Amino acid sequence: MKMKCFDYATLPRVQWPEGKGETRDIVCWPVTDDFAWRACFTTIHQSGALGQFPDIERTIVLLKGKGVRLTSPGFLEHELVNKVAPFHFSGDIRGHAELLDGSVQCFNIMTRRSCWASEVSLVSDERLLPTSHSGVLYVLKGRWEMAGTDSVQLAFGQGAWWLPDIREGAIRPLVADSQLLWVDLRPIE
């Protein structure tokens, strides 16, 4: 299985100017400067501009904090307050992120709309890993086992990503009440 495992605590941190926040990239595929898809965590400490990414579709998931209001006059008005509820929007727009009550931490998926599409969901049961898609998973609660050629156990704050050339495998919860974020990344044909 060609899985790349990660732990949130050891991902490299990139600080934003003036201490407004930070980004921890999980993966930018195939390259950082011209990615087809990207998975990362962002922590926002101060309200400010919402990054603009032309030709990119974005999905953001609130993990920690009270929430953030995302706005762009005439294009976007959304309060991200429900934890682990994916919100999808266009990266083409210039916008603003206003913190509702203190810092927030979010999980982000970005896909270049001309070549990739993503679907983010909350999973609590066993799943087969798709061999024809890319994907990312991130453990929110409990413990999980990825089984295939090699077996790996993942706990809170850990995850994995893969490209379409993996061999068959599965991920299954090892304890009751386990949850993870599941990102299915499909090439557009």
Side-chain angles (χ1 to χ4, degrees):
M1 191 180 326
K2 294 182 181 180
M3 305 288 290
K4 301 286 186 183
C5 294
F6 67 88
D7 189 311
Y8 174 85
T10 61
L11 291 172
R13 294 183 341 173
V14 175
Q15 297 287 336
W16 299 354
E18 302 170 16
K20 290 186 177 184
E22 69 180 39
T23 300
R24 294 179 188 229
D25 272 327
I26 298 166
V27 58
C28 289
W29 188 84
V31 292
T32 302
D33 294 338
D34 189 26
F35 62 84
W37 59 267
R38 176 184 185 194
C40 66
F41 296 97
T42 54
T43 302
I44 305 171
H45 299 301
Q46 296 177 21
S47 299
L50 185 63
Q52 183 180 25
F53 296 91
D55 191 36
I56 299 293
E57 292 297 318
R58 301 178 69 172
T59 302
I60 187 169
V61 179
L62 179 65
L63 298 176
K64 293 181 183 176
K66 299 285 185 179
V68 60
R69 181 178 296 113
L70 307 173
T71 59
S72 179
F75 295 101
L76 175 65
E77 180 74 36
H78 181 76
E79 284 192 359
L80 188 66
V81 294
N82 297 322
K83 289 187 176 67
V84 300
F87 176 67
H88 181 79
F89 64 103
S90 171
D92 293 321
I93 60 174
R94 286 193 187 276
H96 186 77
E98 178 187 346
L99 295 173
L100 298 178
D101 184 16
S103 297
V104 295
Q105 182 188 74
C106 299
F107 177 81
N108 298 275
I109 298 295
M110 300 180 192
T111 55
R112 189 156 311 278
R113 76 175 53 95
S114 57
C115 53
W116 288 87
S118 69
E119 183 179 338
V120 181
S121 55
L122 186 63
V123 170
S124 58
D125 57 348
E126 183 171 347
R127 295 287 168 104
L128 292 177
L129 299 174
T131 58
S132 61
H133 302 184
S134 291
V136 180
L137 55 88
Y138 177 65
V139 176
L140 299 170
K141 291 169 58 175
R143 286 193 345 266
W144 293 78
E145 180 180 50
M146 286 191 310
T149 304
D150 301 315
S151 289
V152 176
Q153 288 192 15
L154 300 171
F156 169 75
Q158 298 177 323
W161 63 273
W162 62 92
L163 296 175
D165 58 353
I166 66 168
R167 294 185 203 96
E168 288 185 24
I171 184 151
R172 68 171 193 255
L174 296 174
V175 296
D177 201 31
S178 291
Q179 291 182 335
L180 58 78
L181 282 176
W182 175 276
V183 181
D184 187 13
L185 293 152
R186 298 173 310 282
I188 294 175
E189 299 172 12

